[in-house]
Amino acid sequence: MLSRVAESLYWMSRYLERAEHTARLLDMNLNLCLDRTPASNEGRWRRMVALLHGPKLPDTPIDMYAITQALTFDPSNAASIVTCINAARENARQVREQCSSEMWEQLNQLFLDIKGTSIERIWEQEPWAFFRSVKDGSHLFQGITDSTMSHGQGWEFIEIGRSLERAGAVAALVDNHYSAFAERDPSWNEYLEWVGLLKGCTAFEAYCKVHTAELRPERIAEFLLLNAEFPHSVRYSVDKVKASLDAVAAVTDGRKAARVNRLAGRLTAALSYGQIDEIVEGGLHAYLDDIRRQFDQLHTAIQQTYIAYSIESALVA
């Protein structure tokens, strides 16, 4: 597979996952506002903006309308939903021949739906309906991709991009939330915040099936980080990255893939054998910092191995 094709499929998938994650967090935050006072909403919105690399906020009280506009429709914000959808569509357009017609139609429809609306229109009606359409559009694209695209190297790079983006987003969200609330005395407001974290990862019902509705910070962290069966857990996503990298390595030069597979294997082992009590005792923030550093190393290795490698290395191989 050409490196430019692998790169476009990889980034198409990452950008679409990023847009879906942003839509989910905005939807969750707007819903939680119904049960909270304006003062109690302040910290949560500021944390979300920092987490999503949004605009710098003034010290004055937050403006939910302005924040939602910046994270949804601002084309100058590299992390906004409209920017991510545009980037995903542009990457798909560059490798149109690799995508099925159904994939292109769905992504193009999502692009047109977002282009045809505005913050004024969704704010006057019901913002949750718009954000749900973004989430549903992303999920539909994933399902169409799995059903209509051959599961060869191109599909594997889509899986790698989506899973690596998801793992990094969930790890950052857990770190952000745990640092803010884990040491506080439990209260009704804090209970809602932990519900918000689980819903922000589409994990509330799945968590309750495993641990019932008793929301304990350590159990929530364990579920979102180390659960091997839940699609939005960090471990599950990393396992998918490792499986896809193994599949790509099987049809390429094994020596070329040695470093990237070694990094993926080390990351998989850290999550597979991790114990939440040991992680918390040693410091969850430090642990997640190390995990995110390994994500960055893995991303760089993927780029150097399959996308931006030198001509000399290719000739030697």
Side-chain angles (χ1 to χ4, degrees), residues 27-222:
D27 184 30
M28 180 267 294
N29 266 26
L30 288 170
N31 278 319
L32 283 181
C33 286
L34 301 176
D35 298 311
R36 303 291 300 274
T37 65
S40 62
N41 284 320
E42 181 89 15
R44 177 160 35 81
W45 279 89
R46 289 186 180 277
R47 287 192 305 275
M48 187 195 69
V49 171
L51 187 67
L52 296 177
H53 306 290
K56 181 176 175 57
L57 296 177
D59 294 332
T60 55
I62 61 167
D63 182 345
M64 289 187 293
Y65 179 93
I67 292 174
T68 304
Q69 191 279 332
L71 291 174
T72 306
F73 294 108
D74 185 359
S76 65
N77 177 9
S80 72
I81 292 174
V82 69
T83 300
C84 290
I85 296 295
N86 287 346
R89 180 179 180 272
E90 178 59 23
N91 276 282
R93 188 191 64 78
Q94 293 176 12
V95 289
R96 175 67 185 83
E97 72 284 353
Q98 297 290 326
C99 301
S100 68
S101 297
E102 293 85 355
M103 289 169 60
W104 173 252
E105 289 169 5
Q106 171 57 28
L107 185 52
N108 203 45
Q109 185 62 56
L110 182 58
F111 166 79
L112 293 174
D113 288 345
I114 294 175
K115 187 177 181 181
T117 190
S118 64
I119 185 63
E120 294 83 9
R121 184 177 301 176
I122 70 167
W123 203 261
E124 290 173 359
Q125 300 172 4
E126 293 180 318
W128 68 266
F130 169 78
F131 293 121
R132 180 174 180 177
S133 72
V134 175
K135 293 184 290 181
D136 288 350
S138 174
H139 295 159
L140 185 55
F141 180 82
Q142 293 175 21
I144 289 172
T145 299
D146 290 347
S147 299
T148 64
M149 185 178 185
S150 296
H151 288 199
Q153 289 185 65
W155 181 83
E156 299 291 359
F157 275 104
I158 291 174
E159 284 288 289
I160 293 167
R162 176 168 62 229
S163 299
L164 195 57
E165 181 71 26
R166 180 176 296 177
V170 173
L173 186 58
V174 171
D175 189 20
N176 178 285
H177 201 91
Y178 205 91
S179 298
F181 296 107
E183 300 302 325
R184 295 189 184 182
D185 293 331
S187 67
W188 172 245
N189 283 340
E190 305 309 328
Y191 177 86
L192 289 178
E193 294 292 351
W194 290 107
V195 170
L197 171 61
L198 288 168
K199 289 190 173 182
C201 299
T202 67
F204 182 70
E205 293 179 347
Y207 172 87
C208 289
K209 287 181 172 65
V210 176
H211 295 296
T212 73
E214 183 184 3
L215 303 185
R216 291 173 50 188
E218 292 81 5
R219 285 184 175 178
I220 293 173
E222 180 182 30

Side-chain angles (χ1 to χ4, degrees), residues 14 18 31 35 41 54-55 105 116 187 207 224 241 251-252 278 282:
R14 289 200 69 154
R18 194 173 300 174
N31 278 319
D35 298 311
N41 284 320
E105 289 169 5
S187 67
Y207 172 87
L224 293 177
V241 171
V251 293
T252 57
E278 296 175 357

